[in-house]
Amino acid sequence: MIRYIGKRFIMMAITLWVIATLTFVLMNLIPGDPFTSEKKYSEEILNNLRAEYNLNEPLPTQYVLYLKDLAQFDLGPSIKQASRGVNDLIAEGFPVSAVLGIEAMIIAVIIGLFLGIIASLQQNKPLDYLAMFLAVIGLSVPSFVIAPLFQKYFGVEWELLPLAGWNGFEYTILPAIALSSLPLALVTRLMRSNMLEVLGQDYIRTARAKGLSPYFVVSRHTVRNAILPVVTIIGPLAIGILTGSFVIEKIFAIPGIGKHFVESISNRDYPVIMGMTIFYSALLIMVNFLVDIAYSWIDPRIKLGGKEAK
């Protein structure tokens, strides 16, 4: 286990280095720099500003300086937000984004598993059709369409929940549900299909023939085997929730780090773009690592490192 974890951490470091390098190269392929659109400053002032952020240095020098700071977990200063560093922006906004993402993930996984199990046990019955209808809605309608509809009816028409902002649990409900719509639909459909496949296996028929209760057969033999593929896609689901949160945070005026990422792209704030990209990448790599650990924990036959027990 320790050897496997050590290898994974080395691979994570290499992956992050590749991502940082590619982002740096792609960012600098775009003509101009963050000060190109600043018409109100003289050329002398602009040169001083570029020198302040090492933009006058050759690209290889800029690259080495950035990696040196990155190795010390310093993501650099924001060019457009004076006196603020990228580390400060992440420390300020990430707790908010994390709360929203965790709530959305919990809703997607718990309700998705529940709907998938009910739909499979009630195949071709009204509850099955209802679960699949909700799944189709979640897959077909983007979250940025669902979010304004929630605001219109739950916030304006019925006045049940806050329209926007971030000032307590009630402010998280609508954005979390809107953000979870797509992953919830995916979990529901995947869990239903896995359950139907497992329910048709010989060992399930044998368990039923032995007189085991339907609850015992479903809880001990069916769900545990059917849930493995769902665990596998939790990593990609987390990616979808994190990337989708940018839009949801903007619609609901949530002070997460999504707004900094979006604004940094339009402002060409190089350190913020680099810092946010590396931070999100590190987060997603860690989620995938934890999913692999959980996968082995749920099914002990699967050994970390690719060897399967006989």
Side-chain angles (χ1 to χ4, degrees):
M1 172 68 84
I2 294 176
R3 187 176 178 184
Y4 171 78
I5 293 175
K7 285 183 178 178
R8 286 296 298 265
F9 272 94
I10 292 173
M11 290 303 299
M12 288 181 200
I14 294 173
T15 304
L16 283 177
W17 170 71
V18 172
I19 290 171
T21 303
L22 286 176
T23 308
F24 181 86
V25 171
L26 292 173
M27 203 170 53
N28 284 283
L29 283 176
I30 303 172
D33 61 41
F35 303 108
T36 300
S37 59
E38 299 288 351
K39 304 296 184 185
K40 58 184 178 181
Y41 299 130
S42 65
E43 193 60 32
E44 183 180 358
I45 294 176
L46 290 177
N47 283 332
N48 290 336
L49 287 171
R50 291 187 179 105
E52 173 70 20
Y53 296 102
N54 298 320
L55 297 177
N56 282 340
E57 300 289 342
L59 283 181
T61 305
Q62 292 183 39
Y63 175 67
V64 171
L65 290 173
Y66 187 81
L67 289 185
K68 185 179 176 183
D69 290 338
L70 185 61
Q72 301 172 9
F73 301 101
D74 181 3
L75 297 174
S78 168
I79 294 177
K80 294 295 182 179
Q81 300 189 49
S83 74
R84 303 194 71 187
V86 181
N87 292 46
D88 298 330
L89 296 178
I90 292 175
E92 177 186 290
F94 180 65
V96 175
S97 296
V99 168
L100 180 62
I102 290 171
E103 274 191 38
M105 201 69 193
I106 290 173
I107 292 171
V109 173
I110 293 180
I111 298 181
L113 290 177
F114 176 76
L115 290 178
I117 293 171
I118 294 298
S120 64
L121 298 178
Q122 299 289 320
Q123 187 182 16
N124 298 328
K125 293 180 180 177
L127 284 178
D128 183 21
Y129 296 139
L130 177 61
M132 288 303 97
F133 173 74
L134 294 175
V136 169
I137 294 293
L139 288 172
S140 308
V141 184
S143 61
F144 60 80
V145 175
I146 293 176
L149 291 175
F150 281 176
Q151 287 178 315
K152 174 178 172 54
Y153 290 103
F154 290 97
V156 178
E157 299 285 343
W158 304 329
E159 298 182 353
L160 295 176
L161 290 166
L163 190 64
W166 192 259
N167 192 27
F169 175 72
E170 66 271 23
Y171 286 81
T172 69
I173 297 175
L174 291 183
I177 295 175
L179 189 57
S180 68
S181 58
L182 176 60
L184 190 154
L186 291 172
V187 170
T188 300
R189 288 176 63 89
L190 184 59
M191 190 63 189
R192 177 184 181 273
S193 63
N194 292 336
M195 284 285 294
L196 291 175
E197 183 179 346
V198 174
L199 286 170
Q201 297 295 318
D202 291 339
Y203 68 90
I204 296 296
R205 285 193 284 270
T206 302
R208 286 171 171 166
K210 289 166 63 178
L212 296 177
S213 68
Y215 173 78
F216 187 86
V217 172
V218 171
S219 61
R220 295 295 297 273
H221 294 292
T222 311
V223 172
R224 185 162 187 166
N225 290 314
I227 204 172
L228 285 172
V230 178
V231 174
T232 306
I233 68 164
I234 285 180
L237 288 182
I239 294 171
I241 285 179
L242 284 172
T243 52
S245 68
F246 297 165
V247 178
I248 295 298
E249 287 179 11
K250 190 73 175 176
I251 293 174
F252 286 95
I254 295 172
I257 59 175
K259 67 172 184 178
H260 296 305
F261 190 70
V262 175
E263 290 173 359
S264 68
I265 294 173
S266 58
N267 292 333
R268 301 188 63 176
D269 196 340
Y270 289 170
V272 178
I273 295 173
M274 291 282 295
M276 294 289 179
T277 303
I278 293 170
F279 177 73
Y280 269 110
S281 300
L283 206 60
L284 298 177
I285 290 171
M286 184 58 69
V287 168
N288 280 324
F289 170 68
L290 295 176
V291 167
D292 288 344
I293 298 290
Y295 201 82
S296 173
W297 176 70
I298 293 173
D299 188 350
R301 295 172 301 173
I302 300 173
K303 299 299 180 185
L304 294 176
K307 295 181 180 178
E308 186 171 332
K310 295 180 180 178

